[in-house]
Amino acid sequence: MSKNARTSPSRRPARGRIELIPVTGLPEIREGDDLARTISAAVRRARLRFQNRDILVVAQKIISKAEGRIARLSTFEPSAQALQLAARGSRDPRLVEVILRESRRIIREHPVLIVETHHGFVCANAGVDHSNVPGEDVVTLLPTDPDLSARRLGKALRRRSKKQIAVVISDTFGRPWRLGLTNVAVGAAGVPVMLDLRGTRDRNAKRLQATILAIADDLAAAAGLAMGKQEGVPVVIVRGYKYRPAQVPATKIIRPAHEDLFR
């Protein structure tokens, strides 16, 4: 899969083809698994090779599984607040309790539980998720520090492959004003998360005043097309995007609270 990007030679990537390469055949990930080793083995089995400046987009779910960020609802005793919120929305009070523990504060209680996580993400259910997890009683939680997870995975992959590899950790989020979910970056390492084009000029020589591109989110969303929800492809190589390596956390994309119309 590819797309052509129209760019200028000064601050934007050079025009070229961007490929989305699914990494298939990964086993079910369990706590303690070496993700760099598992992914590298899957790449070899698929007769692929890493190249310099590849960007590996990894679904948050397998990061969380490997790091043991899994909760069994039967082990949680709902608080009074969880019971109250659960009753309003016909939710499992144990699930609500998990969400509350993963949250810094509640933004909206009904009809959807929108919270601010301890990372600063504003999202539904604090990223607590039932899907693609064996067992009716089990949910996954967001990684404690997705940016750190991305740095560690990138370092391990570079050591194994001897190639310069960036990592983006993605998850599906809803968006204000728009229906549907899209993949966004919750963690990043080795690739710029934003591209500030303010002060540059467009094709008509007009100076850009407010254009800042969320590059890491674009990469996550593009890779999401090759992941799907049922195909079992949690890792995608994005190849051909031209970038300058950078160590900027994905949390930099979070809009400050004083600029946020929804907090």
Side-chain angles (χ1 to χ4, degrees), residues 2-59:
S2 66
K3 74 175 184 178
N4 292 323
R6 189 170 291 172
T7 59
S8 72
S10 57
R11 298 179 62 178
R12 303 182 190 179
R15 177 183 295 187
R17 186 176 70 176
I18 297 177
E19 297 178 87
L20 304 177
I21 307 170
V23 178
T24 59
L26 270 78
E28 178 68 27
I29 301 300
R30 293 179 170 79
E31 182 175 357
D33 282 354
D34 185 334
L35 278 184
R37 179 179 180 179
T38 302
I39 292 170
S40 297
V43 167
R44 289 193 302 271
R45 286 195 301 270
R47 297 185 179 180
L48 300 171
R49 290 186 179 181
F50 285 119
Q51 296 181 9
N52 276 324
R53 302 297 175 90
D54 277 350
I55 302 167
L56 200 71
V57 180
V58 183

Side-chain angles (χ1 to χ4, degrees), residues 216-238:
D217 283 350
D218 283 346
L219 292 165
L225 296 174
M227 287 181 175
K229 276 293 187 182
Q230 298 177 337
E231 290 80 356
V233 180
V235 178
V236 173
I237 299 170
V238 180

Side-chain angles (χ1 to χ4, degrees), residues 87-244:
R88 288 195 61 192
S90 299
R91 306 180 184 100
D92 185 332
R94 302 169 303 170
L95 176 61
V96 176
E97 179 62 28
V98 176
I99 293 169
L100 291 177
R101 296 190 191 191
E102 292 296 304
S103 304
R104 182 182 295 170
R105 64 191 182 99
I106 298 173
I107 306 298
R108 186 182 180 94
E109 297 181 1
H110 190 76
V112 180
L113 193 56
I114 305 295
V115 303
E116 180 179 353
T117 71
H118 295 299
H119 321 80
F121 303 130
V122 176
C123 59
N125 298 329
V128 178
D129 193 3
H130 269 116
S131 65
N132 291 316
V133 187
E136 294 297 323
D137 188 44
V138 180
V139 294
T140 58
L141 318 176
L142 291 177
T144 302
D145 187 341
D147 287 310
L148 177 59
S149 301
R151 290 196 299 273
R152 287 174 172 168
L153 180 56
K155 182 178 179 181
L157 287 169
R158 288 191 295 272
R159 185 170 61 246
R160 286 181 170 274
S161 66
K162 310 302 181 185
K163 304 294 183 182
Q164 184 69 37
I165 299 173
V167 173
V168 171
I169 297 174
S170 69
D171 196 11
T172 50
F173 276 33
R175 299 152 299 160
W177 293 315
R178 299 183 71 83
L179 296 173
L181 302 174
T182 188
N183 279 37
V184 302
V186 295
V191 66
V193 299
M194 293 185 289
L195 182 61
D196 190 347
L197 297 178
R198 293 175 297 182
T200 64
R201 296 185 181 275
D202 65 14
R203 293 178 59 189
N204 296 306
K206 296 178 182 177
R207 189 176 295 277
L208 300 176
Q209 302 292 329
T211 304
I212 303 175
L213 304 180
I215 295 300
D217 283 350
D218 283 346
L219 292 165
L225 296 174
M227 287 181 175
K229 276 293 187 182
Q230 298 177 337
E231 290 80 356
V233 180
V235 178
V236 173
I237 299 170
V238 180
R239 180 169 293 165
Y241 176 72
K242 308 299 182 183
Y243 66 96
R244 292 182 179 179

